[in-house]
């Protein structure tokens, strides 16, 4: 019985520590920047609180959940290339996953170039799915929906 009480106390303590660290250690911003006639960069920016991290789009099999960016179809907006990552990429072996993990701490920008077929203002909508982890724990993966005006 004493063992169960200790286990219950430990679970309560862990729950309090998680709630004390805030509900969401990752803040997202979505913006666009005109780079040429009818061409834009869409920036999906994450600001990650220390000691948390989010993972690259490019992770090894059996590793952590990668960040996934999906765009909704828009016939007037054509994606150009793939989503690029701009930030200080860290590659480190993680015991919990038993693979080299690629992740970002601090700030990372995911950048997608697009071409707009029409002169009228357009929007690009989609979602970003990510998992935030620290050395002590990983939070449940989240999906954030976004809509960016191309102007």
């Amino acid at each position: 019985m004493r063992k169960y009480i200790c286990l219950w106390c430990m679970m309560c303590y862990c729950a309090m520590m998680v709630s004390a660290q805030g509900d969401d250690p990752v803040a997202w911003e979505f913006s666009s920047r005109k780079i040429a006639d009818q061409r834009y960069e869409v920036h999906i920016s994450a600001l990650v609180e220390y000691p948390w991290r989010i993972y690259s789009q490019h992770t090894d099999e059996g590793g952590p959940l990668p960040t996934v960016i999906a765009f909704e179809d828009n016939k007037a907006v054509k994606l150009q290339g793939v989503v690029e990552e701009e930030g200080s990429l860290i590659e480190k072996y993680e015991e919990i996953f038993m693979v080299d993990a690629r992740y970002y701490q601090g700030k990372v920008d995911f950048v997608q170039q697009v071409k707009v077929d029409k002169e009228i203002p357009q929007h690009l909508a989609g979602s970003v799915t990510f998992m935030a982890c620290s050395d002590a724990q990983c939070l449940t993966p989240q999906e954030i929906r976004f809509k960016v005006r191309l102007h």
Side-chain angles (χ1 to χ4, degrees):
M1 181 68 163
R2 185 178 190 148
K3 211 184 230 185
Y4 293 114
I5 292 173
C6 288
L7 181 62
W8 183 80
C9 288
M10 186 64 118
M11 288 172 47
C12 288
Y13 174 76
C14 289
M16 288 186 327
M17 291 304 291
V18 169
S19 65
Q21 293 177 7
D23 291 346
D24 195 357
V26 183
W28 291 93
E29 291 183 5
F30 307 94
S31 62
S32 69
R33 181 174 70 93
K34 189 170 188 168
I35 56 173
D37 187 39
Q38 295 182 295
R39 292 188 179 270
Y40 297 86
E41 283 183 344
V42 174
H43 288 258
I44 301 165
S45 305
L47 186 57
V48 185
E49 293 177 10
Y50 183 82
W52 295 92
R53 59 184 163 264
I54 62 170
Y55 294 93
S56 169
Q57 301 170 94
H58 315 288
T59 62
D60 292 339
E61 183 78 25
L65 179 74
T67 298
V68 176
I69 298 170
F71 298 101
E72 293 178 7
D73 286 335
N74 181 337
K75 294 188 187 319
V77 179
K78 302 281 189 267
L79 302 179
Q80 306 289 297
V82 298
V83 178
E84 299 290 334
E85 298 177 358
E86 296 178 358
S88 296
L89 181 66
I90 299 168
E91 190 166 342
K92 182 179 169 188
Y93 183 80
E94 289 193 348
E95 282 288 330
I96 192 164
F97 299 113
M98 296 187 301
V99 298
D100 285 335
R102 292 175 199 88
Y103 60 86
Y104 295 94
Q105 291 181 309
K107 186 171 187 328
V108 59
D109 282 335
F110 298 93
V111 182
Q112 173 68 61
Q113 290 193 17
V114 298
K115 181 179 180 188
V116 179
D117 286 341
K118 298 179 181 178
E119 289 294 326
I120 59 174
Q122 296 295 324
H123 291 85
L124 184 61
S127 64
V128 57
T129 304
F130 69 99
M131 180 173 66
C133 294
S134 69
D135 287 339
Q137 67 181 351
C138 290
L139 300 178
T140 303
Q142 295 182 48
E143 179 185 50
I144 306 293
R145 305 218 29 91
F146 64 87
K147 186 173 185 179
V148 178
R149 183 169 183 250
L150 303 173
H151 57 87

